[in-house]
Amino acid sequence: MTAKPFTLPLGSPLPDFSLPATDGRDYGPADFAAAEALVVFFTCNHCPYVTGSDEATRASAERVAGRAAFVAVNANSARTYAEDSFEHMVARMEEHRFPWTYLHDESQKTALAFGALRTPHFFVFDRERRLVYCGRAVDNPGDAGRAQSFDLDRALDDCLAGREVATPLTNPVGCNVKWDGKAASWMPPAACDLV
């Protein structure tokens, strides 16, 4: 019997979730039902790979605004890294006005349902909410201005055009998710590279 992979396999349905956002509301998949594609990405407040690529992610979200919805999820434990608290999430959104909904996964159940490995880690779902892309947004998120490969943009172009995503799987590049009660460098034993 084959063990279930840690990270959600391609073709999987969108996991259900209900999480509080920085705008004071709770959100779940139904709140984004009108979007042709849904991008769920795991992020945080402090990671240099996140802060180094936030503006590239903003550009991607704005480029497909009205067609694809972007949903950011912070699952990092504030007990492991205090800057990842919900209060810091609210302050970060107030400062940067990112064009996405920013959700807090305090229990880390959503991160486990998706099998989030790093911050950032992107999951793209098509109109039927099947996973069509998983991995990185760009190949150099620490300094996105030097990126050579724009994997998320290409995946979204394919998805929104109704094409099969040409490169559906890449390895996310970033810091590991900060799991509650674990050392900052800890990863679940089943977590591994995707390609």
Side-chain angles (χ1 to χ4, degrees), residues 63-122:
R63 192 174 67 87
V64 294
R67 299 191 69 193
F70 275 59
V71 179
V73 181
N74 176 18
N76 277 6
S77 169
R79 293 197 306 170
T80 303
Y81 208 101
E83 195 175 336
D84 285 327
S85 71
F86 185 73
E87 292 75 17
H88 282 98
M89 290 172 60
V90 172
R92 188 159 153 67
M93 284 297 279
E94 286 176 352
E95 178 183 357
H96 295 285
R97 302 290 178 190
F98 293 123
W100 49 74
T101 304
Y102 195 11
L103 306 179
H104 190 212
D105 179 23
E106 184 176 11
S107 74
Q108 302 187 316
K109 288 180 181 176
T110 300
L112 286 170
F114 280 77
L117 295 171
R118 308 227 169 252
T119 55
H121 188 171
F122 293 80

Side-chain angles (χ1 to χ4, degrees), residues 17-181:
F17 58 85
S18 179
L19 297 171
T22 54
D23 65 6
R25 289 184 48 200
D26 285 1
Y27 288 85
D31 293 296
F32 309 100
E36 294 175 53
L38 179 63
V39 179
V40 178
F41 65 104
F42 289 82
T43 186
C44 65
N45 298 325
H46 79 278
C47 169
Y49 297 94
V50 168
T51 59
S53 60
D54 271 336
E55 291 308 312
T57 305
R58 184 197 299 272
S60 295
E62 290 176 345
R63 192 174 67 87
V64 294
R67 299 191 69 193
F70 275 59
V71 179
V73 181
N74 176 18
N76 277 6
S77 169
R79 293 197 306 170
T80 303
Y81 208 101
E83 195 175 336
D84 285 327
S85 71
F86 185 73
E87 292 75 17
H88 282 98
M89 290 172 60
V90 172
R92 188 159 153 67
M93 284 297 279
E94 286 176 352
E95 178 183 357
H96 295 285
R97 302 290 178 190
F98 293 123
W100 49 74
T101 304
Y102 195 11
L103 306 179
H104 190 212
D105 179 23
E106 184 176 11
S107 74
Q108 302 187 316
K109 288 180 181 176
T110 300
L112 286 170
F114 280 77
L117 295 171
R118 308 227 169 252
T119 55
H121 188 171
F122 293 80
F123 297 78
V124 178
F125 296 86
D126 65 10
R127 192 74 187 92
E128 287 70 45
R129 297 304 184 254
R130 294 283 171 177
L131 183 65
V132 295
Y133 177 77
C134 179
R136 66 193 186 190
V138 296
D139 61 343
N140 190 352
D143 183 2
R146 298 175 63 187
Q148 299 294 311
S149 183
F150 298 86
D151 303 278
L152 176 63
D153 284 348
R154 288 203 304 266
L156 281 167
D157 287 346
D158 285 344
C159 179
L160 292 171
R163 299 187 297 260
E164 185 175 338
V165 175
T167 304
L169 203 60
T170 60
N171 282 321
V173 178
C175 299
N176 58 292
V177 173
K178 305 300 184 244
W179 298 98
D180 193 45

